[in-house]
Amino acid sequence: MEDRAETACRICGLDDGEVLFNEYGVPQYVICECCYNESGIGDDTLTQVRELRGYWVGHGAQWHDPKRKPADWDLLKQIANIPAEWR
Ligand SMILES: [Zn+2]
């Protein structure tokens, strides 16, 4: 069976390998250290996801924890990780 677990943030695309939604689509309530969204909170419909992403980008796509931001961080590269159904 294909592993459908999601490790990329639906809002910002950060993927550090941690499972945010398991293979059954059940949220694991993990807080993203980039956009600070918690998986399962406000990211279960495309409309909500787009609204949160728009808000995050509109505020300069800030890292919640700037210390965790890689020196060569590339917003567009990270956004490309967002699962197709959440774009
Ligand atoms: Zn995120």
Side-chain angles (χ1 to χ4, degrees):
M1 203 180 93
E2 191 193 351
D3 187 0
R4 301 263 306 144
E6 285 179 47
T7 56
C9 178
R10 292 177 177 180
I11 312 300
C12 75
L14 181 72
D15 188 349
D16 58 7
E18 196 161 355
V19 173
L20 307 179
F21 291 84
N22 70 14
E23 66 269 40
Y24 306 108
V26 177
Q28 304 301 297
Y29 301 102
V30 176
I31 293 178
C32 177
E33 59 189 23
C34 180
C35 72
Y36 204 48
N37 190 71
E38 184 171 346
S39 63
I41 307 290
D43 63 355
D44 43 8
T45 73
L46 186 56
T47 305
Q48 286 177 311
V49 165
R50 287 180 173 167
E51 195 176 303
L52 287 172
R53 187 183 306 128
Y55 185 87
W56 174 66
V57 172
H59 285 78
Q62 305 280 348
W63 275 66
H64 172 69
D65 184 355
K67 288 191 297 293
R68 304 287 297 168
K69 179 180 172 181
D72 61 347
W73 186 65
D74 185 328
L75 170 64
L76 294 181
K77 221 182 261 178
Q78 179 172 300
I79 279 195
N81 293 331
I82 296 170
E85 62 267 43
W86 299 106
R87 290 179 185 165

